[in-house]
Amino acid sequence: MQAILEKASNLIAARKKAFIWGSIIALCLFEIIVSPFVHSSMARVTEHVENMKVIFGIAIPFGGINAKVLLNTWLIMALMIIFALIGRRKFETFPGRRQGMFELVYELFYNLAQESLGERMARRYTPYLLTLFFFILLSDWVLSFYLFPWVEEPTISLNTTLALGTIAFFVSHITAIKEKGFLHYISHYFEPMIEIGPVKIPNILFFPIHVIGELGKVISHSFRLFGNILGGAIIYVVVSALIHEMILPPGLILFLGIFIGTIQAFVFTLLALTYITILVGPEEEEGENHGH
Amino acid sequence: MEAVSTGELVKALAVISAGLCMGIGTLGPGIGEGITAAKACEGVSREPQNAGVITRTMLVAMAIIESLGIYALVIALLLIFVVK
Amino acid sequence: MATDPFMAVSVCAAAFAIGMGAIGPSLGIGRIGSAALKSIHYQPAISSALMKNMLIGMAVTESSAIFALVTAMILLFTPVATAGWEKMYAIAGAGLSIGFGTLGSGLGEGFIASKAVESVGRNPESEPVITRFMLLTQAITESPAVFALVISLSLLFVDLPKSGFAYAVSLLATGLCMGIGAIGPAIGEGYAAGVACEAVGKKPSSFPVVIRTLLLGMALAESCGVYAMVVALCIMYFA
């Protein structure tokens, strides 16, 4: 009986592997064959560069709407909402395959958050982390559909990544104020304090250092994602144009879009969680340490 | 290009030196603070119950190392804003 | 085209950007590879976990080089429209900034990942903690390179408010300042995170305490990089 079960599970595993590899190879072959006939030219590089000129030149606010980015943001939002609706169709005590998959995904970030933040806050912030992660992940994966002319990642625009970075900034600071109280939160900006005997005097010299550090955090947080995604897109366009879209583009898309995109999405979410953790401070963590 | 006046030349040199000053001035403090943090983390990992003392010592050391970076910053800002 | 000075400066700046900018990440990635090979030699049974960490670490270290490559491509393929001769200095400054800026980040991130792979080789049970730790600290160590990229892009795309010889040289100084200013902090942060990675690998339960101390230290080391960026922006806008 054991032998039959083992054989059955091996067969299922082999079939799954064959399915996954087969679909990847089929997709690559399809893109290799279709790419040279799809119009993709150097115009895309200049288009991205024009976008950046507008951002860095700080033109008129609301003067122009980046239609492609907006459209793709809506597309990804629609995908995520459909995904979520499928997930919450029916909650059972003994989860079937569908619910099991969603629980797996939820626990991925719940465990991360719980280790750093403690259970109560982890429950509150896991939805935020999940949304952040899946938004960036889907927006990088959407690059695989590059053959459609109006598909592009929303994170390719500095607006999106700066917005995500600003949201993370506000979430972390408002959480800190809510959890620690305003006085305790502000005292963190004056550390390390000058101690004269039992009296601690706030050290004003370190205040600008901390403020600049916080602003630097936001900038690096958003620009890292922006640089990686935009960089990947520019590399892809330029290299494809140079080799006239022969054979290589799907490999580039796989590496630049999917591999690096997944890593960057995870890093972004992890950093957002870390910013909340350091600002909320050590009290939460010591409670969890005893719980370990 | 036309000839460059002395005043502009002085300003140009001041700005270049401000850039070099700040740029090279972050080499030392950056690496030093990194080594400090590394040893502090090692100590904390070896004996987590002393984490408070170790962190405070590290912060004191960081403050002193940071002051060198601040010297470079001050000189750079002086060169930018005061030289006319 | 043959006597276009803007194109000449762009080409030189692009060459410098990617030529100099690939040095740091390459050294880092080589270090990761050698650490992975050493660990696989000692522990062949967990080679899949080691290779996974190696590949992830290499991919993140590579992104600094991708920044340099992207700047080089923008420099090569974007035609400079109507611009004064000061733009040439801005282009040179952009090349300098990103060329020097990725040196520290590449070395630092490479050090972190190499220590991470070694720790997993020494203590395979710490693997999930180490991978997360490595990704987090590599991301923070990348910040100085990101700042250098920001300065490069602003030098290329912002309309210059002033003109004159002094201002043109100040654009060059901006790039130089941010470029060289990004080296030290990144190396320091990388060294700190690498040693902390080793410590966490030996004792994974000390992860929360160590990460707190480490992030504090890295934030302070980062402030020097932020000073460099502040001075660079001051030079560009206020001098």
Side-chain angles (χ1 to χ4, degrees):
Chain A
M1 183 61 189
Q2 266 316 94
I4 298 180
L5 275 176
E6 252 190 57
K7 259 201 211 166
S9 66
N10 280 341
L11 192 60
I12 296 179
R15 263 203 214 139
K16 268 197 221 162
K17 237 181 158 178
F19 177 67
I20 294 178
W21 277 110
S23 53
I24 291 180
I25 292 178
L27 200 61
C28 284
L29 276 174
F30 172 68
E31 292 185 344
I32 288 174
I33 295 174
V34 175
S35 301
F37 303 104
V38 172
H39 183 63
S40 121
S41 68
M42 295 299 286
R44 275 221 211 159
V45 179
T46 10
E47 183 194 320
H48 287 309
V49 169
E50 289 295 325
N51 276 344
M52 290 207 291
K53 274 194 194 160
V54 170
I55 297 164
F56 276 97
I58 315 284
I60 328 152
F62 309 117
I65 302 180
N66 203 342
K68 252 185 170 180
V69 169
L70 213 56
L71 207 66
N72 284 289
T73 314
W74 289 344
L75 170 70
I76 291 176
M77 281 164 56
L79 276 174
M80 282 172 63
I81 292 179
I82 295 176
F83 203 51
L85 284 176
I86 295 179
R88 56 170 296 181
R89 228 187 311 165
K90 196 166 85 160
F91 287 138
E92 304 149 3
T93 326
F94 295 106
R97 266 189 312 193
R98 175 189 59 86
Q99 190 176 332
M101 185 178 75
F102 282 94
E103 284 190 6
L104 198 70
V105 164
Y106 182 82
E107 283 203 358
L108 202 65
F109 283 94
Y110 181 69
N111 289 336
L112 272 180
Q114 192 185 32
E115 277 178 17
S116 321
L117 287 176
E119 194 174 314
R120 178 183 57 95
M121 288 184 53
R123 199 167 296 164
R124 206 190 306 166
Y125 287 104
T126 311
Y128 162 65
L129 292 175
L130 274 172
T131 316
L132 200 58
F133 177 69
F134 275 107
F135 181 74
I136 306 177
L137 189 75
L138 284 177
S139 77
D140 294 339
W141 284 9
V142 103
L143 185 61
S144 339
F145 293 103
Y146 67 98
L147 292 172
F148 294 100
W150 40 263
V151 161
E152 173 186 74
E153 316 120 312
T155 39
I156 219 176
S157 158
L158 185 59
N159 299 308
T160 319
T161 50
L162 262 181
L164 292 171
T166 320
I167 293 178
F169 172 75
F170 277 116
V171 165
S172 52
H173 282 259
I174 294 181
T175 312
I177 297 181
K178 209 159 54 160
E179 292 291 320
K180 297 201 307 189
F182 192 68
L183 243 62
H184 202 176
Y185 161 76
I186 284 285
S187 82
H188 142 78
Y189 281 98
F190 293 103
E191 292 192 347
M193 306 245 185
I194 311 174
E195 307 194 10
I196 308 184
V199 179
K200 278 198 201 173
I201 303 182
N203 192 351
I204 317 182
L205 266 156
F206 271 81
F207 183 71
I209 295 179
H210 282 283
V211 169
I212 296 183
E214 295 290 327
L215 290 176
K217 262 195 231 170
V218 180
I219 295 184
S220 72
H221 201 197
S222 356
F223 270 89
R224 185 177 304 114
L225 184 63
F226 169 66
N228 274 296
I229 306 297
L230 178 71
I234 290 191
I235 290 176
Y236 168 72
V237 170
V238 171
V239 172
S240 307
L242 284 174
I243 58 178
H244 298 290
E245 288 105 14
M246 296 283 190
I247 300 185
L248 213 50
L252 274 180
I253 289 277
L254 264 177
F255 177 65
L256 290 170
I258 301 189
F259 185 51
I260 288 194
T262 314
I263 292 182
Q264 288 301 320
F266 186 63
V267 161
F268 194 92
T269 317
L270 204 58
L271 270 177
L273 175 64
T274 310
Y275 291 160
I276 301 180
T277 313
I278 18 178
L279 276 178
V280 162
E283 291 87 16
E284 280 297 335
E285 293 174 44
E286 280 180 14
E288 261 318 296
N289 261 340
H290 293 317
H292 273 183
Chain B
M1 278 190 283
E2 63 287 353
V4 175
S5 69
T6 322
E8 278 208 27
L9 188 60
V10 167
K11 192 132 171 54
L13 286 174
V15 167
I16 278 262
S17 50
L20 278 174
C21 163
M22 193 66 229
I24 305 183
T26 61
L27 275 174
I31 299 184
E33 289 183 344
I35 298 181
T36 314
K39 295 306 174 186
C41 287
E42 241 183 316
V44 160
S45 158
R46 217 170 276 173
E47 298 201 351
Q49 65 266 19
N50 291 336
V53 184
I54 297 179
T55 311
R56 248 177 288 149
T57 315
M58 179 186 88
L59 282 175
V60 169
M62 292 278 196
I64 299 177
I65 299 174
E66 189 78 20
S67 54
L68 286 165
I70 297 185
Y71 296 160
L73 175 71
V74 165
I75 296 292
L77 289 175
L78 274 176
L79 279 169
I80 299 173
F81 288 116
V82 176
V83 173
K84 287 286 179 269
Chain C
M1 174 67 186
T3 54
D4 185 4
F6 286 100
M7 204 58 205
V9 176
S10 294
V11 168
C12 289
F16 185 83
I18 189 57
M20 202 56 200
I23 294 182
S26 321
L27 287 171
I29 291 180
R31 203 192 164 111
I32 302 175
S34 90
L37 282 171
K38 193 167 69 173
S39 305
I40 294 180
H41 166 68
Y42 281 126
Q43 288 242 29
I46 50 166
S47 63
S48 61
L50 288 171
M51 281 205 53
K52 173 183 108 171
N53 279 312
M54 174 188 92
L55 283 173
I56 295 181
M58 282 183 176
V60 183
T61 312
E62 185 122 4
S63 43
S64 308
I66 291 184
F67 292 162
L69 179 64
V70 162
T71 313
M73 281 184 180
I74 294 180
L75 281 168
L76 279 178
F77 294 118
T78 317
V80 175
T82 55
W85 58 271
E86 290 92 5
K87 199 72 181 177
M88 285 197 289
Y89 285 82
I91 294 175
L96 281 172
S97 160
I98 197 66
F100 284 121
T102 55
L103 191 66
S105 281
L107 287 171
E109 293 179 45
F111 186 74
I112 298 175
S114 73
K115 288 292 187 185
V117 168
E118 279 172 13
S119 314
V120 171
R122 214 178 289 132
N123 185 6
E125 288 156 7
S126 61
E127 205 256 329
V129 178
I130 292 283
T131 309
R132 275 197 335 247
F133 189 91
M134 176 182 84
L135 274 176
L136 182 62
T137 44
Q138 274 187 319
I140 301 183
T141 311
E142 186 140 351
S143 312
V146 172
F147 294 154
L149 178 73
V150 170
I151 295 287
S152 278
L153 292 178
S154 359
L155 276 172
L156 285 175
F157 293 121
V158 169
D159 293 324
L160 309 173
K162 300 185 212 175
S163 60
F165 178 68
Y167 189 65
V169 171
S170 70
L171 290 171
L172 194 64
T174 306
L176 209 56
C177 169
M178 189 65 230
I180 307 183
I183 304 179
I187 295 183
E189 290 177 23
Y191 183 76
V195 170
C197 204
E198 207 179 4
V200 167
K202 285 186 190 152
K203 213 204 240 185
S205 59
S206 61
F207 174 73
V209 203
V210 169
I211 193 97
R212 233 186 300 141
T213 317
L214 178 69
L215 285 174
L216 189 60
M218 280 172 97
L220 279 172
E222 181 83 15
S223 58
C224 286
V226 181
Y227 294 160
M229 184 159 101
V230 164
V231 168
L233 288 172
C234 277
I235 295 179
M236 195 161 109
Y237 284 113
F238 298 131

